[in-house]
Amino acid sequence: MNTSDDRFDHAMRDLHAQAVSQVSSATRARLRVARHAAARPTGEREPRRGFTWVLGSGLAAVFAVAIGLQLRPAQAPTPAASAPPLVATTGTPANATSFDADTAIAALDENPDLYLWLASNDDAVPSLEP
C-alpha cells in the first residue's frame, strides 16, 4: 500500500475519534435509537405505509378526473333525425374567398348610408389650405 494513503487514513480516523469523544452522551443515545429504528425491517416500522400511498394516489386521481370532467365543454345533443341532407357540390365551395368586382360595387350601391356617413364627416378630413 501507499504510505501517504495510510497516513491520510490514520489521520482521518484520529479526527473522527476526537469528534466522537466530544459528542454529548444524550446525542449519542438519540443517534443510537435512530440507528436501531432504521435497521429494523420496513414491515415492522410502519405496516400501513404502502396502503397510505395507494389511498393518497387514488384520491388524487379521482379528484383530477372530477375536475377535468367539470372543465370539459358541454356537448349539445345532436339528434340524428334533424341532420341536414348531404348535397354533392361541384366546382368551388360556397365559402370560397374570391373577389368579385361586380358584387363589391353592387354592395356599395345597395347601401346609401355609407355615402351619407362619408358626407357628414367632412370636418374630420384636414384641409390643406393655410
Side-chain angles (χ1 to χ4, degrees):
M1 284 272 184
N2 193 353
T3 58
S4 64
D5 288 341
D6 290 337
R7 280 186 279 146
F8 177 78
D9 187 41
H10 184 66
M12 291 299 115
R13 287 180 189 269
D14 287 343
L15 281 174
H16 179 260
Q18 182 184 3
V20 168
S21 68
Q22 293 178 355
V23 175
S24 69
S25 60
T27 304
R28 278 188 275 175
R30 284 188 303 209
L31 289 172
R32 188 179 314 113
V33 168
R35 184 177 64 233
H36 288 297
R40 279 188 281 158
T42 57
E44 293 177 18
R45 255 191 299 189
E46 296 180 25
R48 290 195 242 166
R49 185 173 189 175
F51 179 70
T52 57
W53 276 104
V54 171
L55 182 64
S57 300
L59 284 175
V62 167
F63 285 130
V65 168
I67 291 170
L69 289 176
Q70 288 180 356
L71 295 178
R72 186 179 56 167
Q75 297 176 353
T78 56
S82 67
L86 296 176
V87 178
T89 59
T90 57
T92 60
N95 62 352
T97 56
S98 62
F99 178 75
D100 184 15
D102 295 332
T103 307
I105 292 172
L108 290 176
D109 287 340
E110 290 174 3
N111 191 357
D113 292 337
L114 173 68
Y115 296 107
L116 291 174
W117 177 76
L118 285 174
S120 68
N121 286 331
D122 285 340
D123 57 343
V125 178
S127 63
L128 298 176
E129 297 176 13

